[in-house]
Amino acid sequence: MMSHTHSKVLIVGSGPAGYTAAIYAARAMLEPVLVTGLQQGGQLTITTDVENYPGFADVIQGPWLVEQMRLQAEHVGTRLINDHIASIDLSHRPFQVKGDGGDTYSAEALIIATGAQARWLGLPSEQKFQGFGVSACATCDGFFFRNKSVIVVGGGNTAVEEALYLAQIAAKVTLVHRRDSLRAERILQQRLFENPRISVVWNSELHDIRGNEAPLNVTGVNLRNVVTGEISELPADGVFIAIGHKPASELVVGQLELTPSGYIRTVPGSTATSVPGVFAAGDVTDEVFRQAVTAAGLGCMAALEAERWLVTRDAGLRAAE
């Protein structure tokens, strides 16, 4: 039997941004409702060792960290609903939201924290070694490859920036690109070519990732030359896939202002979007940092701004009476 839920603040998404927004909104007595989505916990659920989230001297596990966030959100009064949002209608107030099972939701203020997904190549070995030598975030995992050899796959700004960052940590960085020229900005290309720790393999694509079984770890890759079809082997301790990210902003296309890359555009220094009462937090609006701690910070901002917006709106309604 389908149900309807109304709330002052509805949060869509259950990563660090969503859970932090829920914690702050609940402590402000806004009785928030959080709809978790299909991938509860977001990107942290597929992250093994986490060493850069403040407050933990020892390495922690991503799934454990996000589970603690969930428990904290519930403890302070957030109502969690396991559903996947199929549509959002921002043309009516309160805002109208519908789950894929038919349940509906309405909210006076909406926080969108649906995140972004790294683009992957789709290789079986890529999935097999994900979190065990294969990563899509140099800032997150580069630390584990100190003085080792790593490969970065891609040719745009993301790939070059990842390679330059890793060159400060790893002993050797090899950028693999399927074309004979890079798409990255010229200044980034110049820095890349001038870095003695970085080399480039042109006209090649990742064909397979090799490694050990027990424990799982990467030992090298097979590359395929796209011109000749020749397969070559290259030893490596880690592989970073840097072919971009896809923000989960499909639900608000045509309703909120987006960046050219599809991220939700917010007011500088704020989480406010182009529609009053709608706020965006986390990776769905952040195409630069994409870290758990920055997502959490944006979630905090979104809840505080939603609270202030509701107070201002209510004051205006009372004055108009």
Side-chain angles (χ1 to χ4, degrees):
M1 193 172 175
M2 290 179 288
S3 65
H4 177 76
T5 302
H6 177 75
S7 59
K8 285 185 178 180
V9 176
L10 178 67
I11 302 164
V12 180
S14 58
Y19 282 139
T20 305
I23 291 166
Y24 274 80
R27 285 172 54 81
M29 308 306 238
L30 295 176
E31 300 178 331
V33 171
L34 184 150
V35 181
T36 61
L38 288 178
Q39 187 179 356
Q40 298 181 31
Q43 291 288 293
L44 275 180
T45 60
I46 58 172
T47 304
T48 51
D49 292 346
V50 175
E51 201 170 35
N52 57 1
Y53 198 88
F56 302 94
D58 297 322
V59 176
I60 57 174
Q61 299 298 298
W64 177 86
L65 175 60
V66 79
E67 173 66 6
Q68 297 304 302
M69 295 179 184
R70 182 188 70 80
L71 293 171
Q72 185 177 3
E74 283 188 305
H75 176 73
V76 293
T78 303
R79 179 183 175 188
L80 301 182
I81 298 178
N82 296 327
D83 197 358
H84 175 66
I85 298 304
S87 66
I88 294 177
D89 184 357
L90 302 179
S91 64
H92 298 86
R93 292 183 185 273
F95 303 119
Q96 304 297 312
V97 179
K98 187 175 182 179
D100 61 4
D103 290 343
T104 57
Y105 311 87
S106 59
E108 298 167 47
L110 180 65
I111 296 175
I112 301 174
T114 46
Q117 298 286 336
R119 298 183 189 273
W120 299 95
L121 297 171
L123 299 173
S125 56
E126 176 189 55
Q127 183 176 5
K128 174 181 178 179
F129 290 105
Q130 199 174 115
F132 298 94
V134 173
S135 172
C137 179
T139 309
C140 308
D141 300 322
F143 180 78
F144 300 108
F145 297 91
R146 287 172 294 176
N147 301 318
K148 295 185 178 181
S149 176
V150 298
I151 290 172
V152 177
V153 178
N157 282 353
T158 299
V160 174
E161 289 169 349
E162 297 272 273
L164 289 168
Y165 177 84
L166 288 166
Q168 304 174 64
I169 302 169
K172 180 181 180 182
V173 179
T174 302
L175 182 72
V176 176
H177 186 41
R178 67 187 320 275
R179 296 183 176 86
D180 59 3
S181 62
L182 300 175
R183 294 175 285 106
E185 296 172 5
R186 290 294 179 184
I187 185 64
L188 291 176
Q189 292 191 41
Q190 180 180 343
R191 293 171 184 166
L192 181 92
F193 296 139
E194 291 176 351
N195 195 305
R197 292 191 178 185
I198 303 175
S199 60
V200 182
V201 176
W202 302 105
N203 296 319
S204 297
E205 61 183 11
L206 191 63
H207 181 69
D208 194 22
I209 300 171
R210 296 177 287 106
N212 297 318
E213 293 289 336
L216 280 175
N217 67 284
V218 170
T219 59
V221 300
N222 291 340
L223 303 178
R224 187 182 77 87
N225 187 291
V226 298
V227 177
T228 66
E230 179 184 357
I231 303 295
S232 60
E233 295 185 359
L234 188 64
D237 301 295
V239 178
F240 289 83
I241 309 299
I243 56 177
H245 288 74
K246 185 179 185 300
S249 58
E250 300 89 349
L251 292 169
V252 294
V253 170
Q255 301 187 83
L256 292 180
E257 185 179 348
L258 305 180
T259 70
S261 303
Y263 290 81
I264 297 176
R265 190 185 298 279
T266 55
V267 175
S270 168
T271 62
T273 69
S274 55
V275 173
V278 179
F279 305 87
D283 288 6
V284 73
T285 187
D286 177 13
E287 53 187 310
V288 178
F289 301 105
R290 292 189 295 267
Q291 300 296 300
V293 68
T294 52
L298 288 169
C300 164
M301 290 170 58
L304 294 175
E305 290 186 298
E307 178 192 11
R308 292 167 187 166
W309 182 84
L310 287 168
V311 169
T312 302
R313 185 208 61 170
D314 292 345
L317 291 174
R318 287 193 298 270
E321 292 178 353

